[in-house]
């Protein structure tokens, strides 16, 4: 019942199908398209049958993929691990599980509210660090030998909130980081890596059944928390995608988020004499020339 991605259709040179989808969307949104736009004229196709492993051909892209995969793995590990760890907490099992589900709903609502306002990178980092700090903080009652079982439960719920929100954000973040020609493959690969974390989650959650004392509850949470903090900090290495022109090809992905000396981002920007009415020599571009070119393009 869903239409194919028009961006993907264009990248595969299936312009007629993409045009039909765009015209239907324009009609629904009561937008009048020019003939050139409606029929996708003057489209330049740069992609040359690129595959997902082409994202591993550049150091910048390799780091980006690794950071993305780590965030998927940790988000899945902590999300499922905290769900499975509910049975190790004190108090009523059913009430704890109900509260765990409730904070998950709240986390998704928070994503809807703040995702476009705060940006993907900041939220991914914040939610991962929230989950990590909350889980690590469960060590407090153990260190001070205090009977604060309610505090452990609250911290676990905060950790579940952060992990659930981070898991939601990373889905959107990933499809915006990968270029159009391999977006579905990138998401599929990331999901595969995430399930590795899901495989390890029950084993870490069950550590508490192998040891005794307060550490039975805290040790799994320390592992989840430490992994979340690392993933959250690594997310700062990713470029922001909110309100940006998304990459269509590997070359676009390579330049995505890169800034030049005057601070504007190089997204799909091809400078030619036809566009700038100037003869360009890339070896002698000055700051003033770039300012002038950028003004003409805008």
């Amino acid at each position: 019942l869903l239409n194919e991605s028009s961006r993907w259709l264009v990248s595969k040179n299936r312009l007629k199908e993409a045009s039909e989808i765009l015209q239907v969307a324009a009609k629904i949104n009561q937008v009048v398209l020019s003939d050139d736009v409606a029929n996708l004229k003057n489209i330049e196709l740069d992609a040359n049958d690129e595959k997902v492993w082409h994202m591993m051909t550049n150091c910048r892209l390799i780091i980006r993929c690794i950071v993305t995969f780590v965030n998927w793995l940790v988000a899945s590990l902590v999300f499922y691990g905290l769900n499975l760890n509910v049975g190790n907490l004190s108090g009523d099992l059913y009430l704890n599980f109900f509260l765990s589900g409730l904070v998950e709903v709240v986390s998704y609502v928070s994503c809807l509210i703040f995702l476009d306002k705060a940006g993907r990178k900041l939220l991914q980092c914040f939610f991962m660090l929230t989950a990590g700090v909350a889980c690590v903080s469960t060590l407090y009652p153990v260190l001070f030998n205090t009977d604060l079982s309610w505090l452990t439960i609250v911290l676990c719920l905060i950790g579940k909130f952060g992990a659930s929100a981070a898991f939601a954000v990373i889905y959107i973040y990933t499809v915006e980081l990968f270029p159009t020609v391999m977006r579905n493959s990138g998401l599929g690969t990331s999901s595969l890596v995430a399930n590795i974390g899901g495989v390890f989650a029950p084993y870490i959650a069950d550590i508490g059944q192998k040891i005794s004392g307060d550490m039975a509850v805290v040790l799994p949470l320390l592992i989840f928390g430490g992994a979340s903090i690392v993933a959250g900090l690594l997310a700062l290495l990713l470029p922001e995608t909110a309100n940006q022109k998304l990459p269509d090809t590997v070359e676009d992905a390579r330049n995505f988020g890169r800034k030049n000396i005057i601070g504007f981002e190089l997204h799909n920007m091809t400078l030619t004499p036809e566009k700038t009415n100037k003869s360009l020599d890339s070896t002698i571009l000055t700051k003033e020339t770039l300012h002038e070119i950028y003004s003409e393009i805008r």
Side-chain angles (χ1 to χ4, degrees):
L1 299 178
L2 300 177
N3 291 323
E4 183 55 85
S5 163
S6 57
R7 294 174 67 94
W8 181 82
L9 289 172
V10 169
S11 72
K12 295 300 181 181
N13 204 22
R14 293 162 61 177
L15 302 183
K16 183 179 179 181
E17 297 173 66
S19 175
E20 292 173 353
I21 295 173
L22 291 177
Q23 291 183 49
V24 171
K27 183 178 180 180
I28 293 174
N29 290 286
Q30 300 179 349
V31 175
V32 179
L33 299 178
S34 67
D35 182 63
D36 286 351
V37 175
N39 295 294
L40 297 176
K41 296 180 179 179
N42 303 321
I43 294 291
E44 297 180 5
L45 301 176
D46 298 323
N48 184 22
D49 195 28
E50 295 174 332
K51 304 298 182 182
V52 68
W53 54 81
H54 292 157
M55 287 289 286
M56 300 296 180
T57 58
N58 175 269
C59 182
R60 172 189 293 267
L61 298 181
I62 290 174
I63 293 174
R64 191 173 298 173
C65 287
I66 292 174
V67 172
T68 302
F69 294 157
V70 168
N71 271 267
W72 272 89
L73 189 150
V74 173
S76 177
L77 172 72
V78 179
F79 176 82
Y80 292 114
L82 290 179
N83 274 335
L84 296 170
N85 194 58
V86 168
N88 296 329
L89 301 177
S90 60
D92 185 77
L93 172 64
Y94 300 100
L95 177 60
N96 291 343
F97 196 82
F98 168 77
L99 293 175
S100 177
L102 184 62
V103 297
E104 185 174 341
V105 174
V106 175
S107 70
Y108 297 148
V109 174
S110 300
C111 290
L112 291 174
I113 296 173
F114 297 109
L115 197 58
D116 288 330
K117 296 180 181 179
R120 282 62 160 147
K121 178 166 72 171
L122 181 61
L123 279 190
Q124 181 67 20
C125 176
F126 173 76
F127 286 136
M128 274 295 190
L129 291 180
T130 298
V133 172
C135 289
V136 171
S137 296
T138 57
L139 189 62
Y140 173 83
V142 176
L143 291 177
F144 293 92
N145 295 319
T146 57
D147 185 17
L148 296 175
S149 57
W150 62 269
L151 179 60
T152 302
I153 295 174
V154 169
L155 291 172
C156 284
L157 293 177
I158 295 175
K160 177 66 184 301
F161 169 87
S164 301
F167 214 166
V169 173
I170 196 61
Y171 266 96
I172 299 174
Y173 205 2
T174 300
V175 297
E176 292 178 344
L177 286 171
F178 279 89
T180 302
V181 292
M182 60 186 69
R183 190 158 287 145
N184 56 340
S185 300
L187 183 63
T189 306
S190 300
S191 182
L192 171 66
V193 174
N195 281 288
I196 297 175
V199 167
F200 283 103
Y203 294 101
I204 297 176
D206 287 346
I207 289 178
Q209 300 178 9
K210 305 299 181 181
I211 59 178
S212 58
D214 293 332
M215 288 302 297
V217 177
V218 174
L219 186 57
L221 296 174
L222 289 178
I223 297 174
F224 295 143
S228 296
I229 291 174
V230 171
L233 294 176
L234 286 176
L236 295 174
L237 299 176
L238 299 174
E240 179 56 69
T241 60
N243 303 314
Q244 302 292 331
K245 188 181 188 306
L246 301 181
D248 288 319
T249 66
V250 172
E251 182 62 29
D252 296 338
R254 187 179 295 116
N255 293 325
F256 187 76
R258 181 182 296 173
K259 295 179 181 293
N260 64 15
I261 59 174
I262 60 173
F264 62 85
E265 295 188 355
L266 301 173
H267 297 322
N268 273 355
M269 185 179 294
T270 302
L271 303 179
T272 65
E274 291 75 16
K275 290 183 180 179
T276 62
N277 295 321
K278 284 181 172 56
S279 177
L280 297 181
D281 184 346
S282 59
T283 63
I284 57 172
L285 284 179
T286 65
K287 183 175 180 181
E288 291 72 19
T289 306
L290 287 171
H291 271 298
E292 189 174 354
I293 293 170
Y294 184 53
S295 298
E296 290 189 15
I297 292 173
R298 293 194 63 183

